[in-house]
Amino acid sequence: MEGHTVTLQNKYLGCVLGAATGDALGAATEPLSTEQILQIYGGRIADFVTPSEQSLSRGRKAGQITDAFSIPYFLCQQLFCAKGQASREVAEEALRQWGESPWFAPFAGMTTRKVVNRLKQNDKQEMWSYAGHLGNKLFKGHYYALSSNGAAVKAWPAGLLHPGDMDAAIQDAIELTMASHDDPLSISGACAMAAAISQALVTDASLYHIVQAAKYGARQGEKLARSRKDIWIYPGPSVSRRLDMAIDVALLQKDNAMEALRDIIGSGPAVAETLPTAIGLLIANQGDVLAALFDGVHIGDETAAIASIIGAIGGAWRGALIFPKHYLATIQQANDLDLLKFVQQWLQMLGQS
């Protein structure tokens, strides 16, 4: 797409298709190690494959999505109903609806599962009576169980709400994230993602601009979160500092960036691993979105989340045409989704159709 202006419609489709593609590709390799992935599938994969029995998506078909795309998809539907007005209540309703979907049972993570179950059981109970106090001491002792990558994976709708307006995207990301992740670390990751998407939608955005937007979102999101009274603060690694580290790793170890990012930053469920590593892979591959996406699929562990973040950012930046033509058809057919209609709903809501 170099030298060609990518339309806003194509950028929105790119973001949505990229998020779904990353999820569906990564579904086949999560939670395997890189070595296991290469052994089971006979090498690197660059197309949708039927998940092996060793993957979390065993029994599902090639191209089917998991929670990484289905949760933000439900969130978007609720945003359409709310005419684009983001709120904690909108996100809570999306989680209620998702909790009744076929994706909940096999894919809900520790944080989201507990929140959805509480919402089902306590529709009349105020959220603050349990949010931020999930589980027991041991559960909370593992910071990733609360500051999980789900906060960042479902943050791209906040970016789509505000193309080119990072601060507005950050504000909405905070409100939407509070429904399931009410801590500064999770919110930092979500705001980094929302700001990156917002910047990626700008016509002349560069990868440098997108990375700087992610850094700003991480810092600003954490700052704003810590200023709230309804926040749950506990120790854990800084998303913004891990992001700085990931950038250094990507720039200094380009030849083996995937392995270096996995070993130094991590590719596990913590948002301070997933978001920085995804950004690092984009940098290491010098903006080659597909190359970064495939690295995300093969890095091991939380591959669906990492690849979905890469796909969403890369698609919003480069547009849908960077993906092989059959990707859209496969995603739509495998999941009974109409992403073209979905994107049209987005543009109509924003007055861009």
Side-chain angles (χ1 to χ4, degrees):
M1 298 304 296
E2 294 290 345
H4 299 277
T5 299
V6 183
T7 66
L8 190 63
Q9 179 177 7
N10 200 260
K11 281 176 169 284
Y12 272 68
L13 180 58
C15 179
V16 172
L17 177 58
T21 292
D23 181 16
L25 287 169
T29 58
E30 185 175 332
L32 307 171
S33 68
T34 301
E35 292 75 14
Q36 287 176 311
I37 294 168
L38 297 177
Q39 180 180 12
I40 291 170
Y41 294 105
R44 283 172 66 93
I45 57 177
D47 208 339
F48 303 107
V49 297
T50 302
S52 74
E53 287 299 313
Q54 290 85 353
S55 75
L56 288 180
S57 294
R58 54 186 173 273
R60 296 175 68 78
K61 300 177 181 178
Q64 287 190 305
I65 59 171
T66 73
D67 58 314
F69 183 77
S70 59
I71 291 179
Y73 182 83
F74 273 74
L75 176 58
C76 291
Q77 299 296 341
Q78 292 305 311
L79 285 171
F80 296 156
C81 294
K83 302 185 187 306
Q85 297 300 308
S87 67
R88 183 170 177 165
E89 292 71 28
V90 163
E92 288 175 9
E93 182 57 32
L95 287 174
R96 285 192 186 93
Q97 296 293 328
W98 184 77
E100 301 298 327
S101 77
W103 290 288
F104 174 71
F107 296 118
M110 289 180 288
T111 307
T112 304
R113 185 179 298 275
K114 285 182 175 291
V115 171
V116 170
N117 285 335
R118 292 281 190 169
L119 286 170
K120 288 180 179 180
Q121 297 167 9
N122 301 284
D123 279 338
K124 296 181 180 180
Q125 186 176 358
E126 290 186 3
M127 189 72 171
W128 178 241
S129 62
Y130 58 85
H133 301 271
L134 302 171
N136 55 32
K137 184 176 181 180
L138 178 62
F139 177 83
K140 285 186 282 188
H142 293 277
Y143 65 87
Y144 65 78
L146 293 174
S147 299
S148 64
N149 56 32
V153 172
K154 70 168 187 278
W156 52 263
L160 293 187
L161 283 171
H162 303 285
D165 189 344
M166 290 187 293
D167 287 305
I170 288 168
Q171 289 289 348
D172 279 357
I174 293 173
E175 294 305 316
L176 295 172
T177 303
M178 284 292 293
S180 57
H181 298 73
D182 57 350
D183 68 276
L185 306 177
S186 297
I187 289 173
S188 177
C191 290
M193 178 64 170
I197 293 292
S198 175
Q199 183 60 39
L201 294 171
V202 175
T203 300
D204 58 350
S206 67
L207 182 58
Y208 173 81
H209 292 138
I210 294 170
V211 173
Q212 292 303 308
K215 291 176 64 175
Y216 174 73
R219 294 192 303 269
Q220 186 70 358
E222 182 175 356
K223 177 183 176 181
L224 292 173
R226 290 185 182 277
S227 70
R228 296 176 67 112
K229 295 182 178 180
D230 58 345
I231 207 75
W232 183 251
I233 297 176
Y234 53 85
S238 165
V239 174
S240 61
R241 292 189 178 185
R242 285 281 183 89
L243 181 53
D244 288 339
M245 290 172 59
I247 293 169
D248 289 341
V249 170
L251 292 174
L252 295 174
Q253 303 197 48
K254 292 181 180 179
D255 292 338
N256 63 333
M258 185 188 79
E259 293 81 1
L261 286 165
R262 180 193 63 213
D263 297 342
I264 297 171
I265 306 301
S267 58
V271 69
E273 295 184 20
T274 306
L275 188 284
T277 290
I279 299 290
L281 289 174
L282 278 167
I283 296 170
N285 285 283
Q286 301 179 62
D288 185 331
V289 177
L290 285 180
L293 185 69
F294 296 143
D295 275 352
V297 171
H298 292 89
I299 197 169
D301 206 349
E302 289 284 304
T303 52
I306 293 172
S308 188
I309 288 174
I310 293 170
I313 295 174
W317 176 34
R318 297 291 197 183
L321 295 181
I322 63 169
F323 300 106
K325 291 182 178 180
H326 70 281
Y327 275 22
L328 176 60
T330 300
I331 289 291
Q332 293 194 133
Q333 292 169 7
N335 300 283
D336 193 24
L337 296 174
D338 188 341
L339 296 187
L340 295 176
K341 179 181 178 181
F342 181 67
V343 168
Q344 194 59 35
Q345 287 178 284
W346 263 105
L347 297 176
Q348 288 175 350
M349 182 176 69
L350 298 174
Q352 298 288 342
S353 60

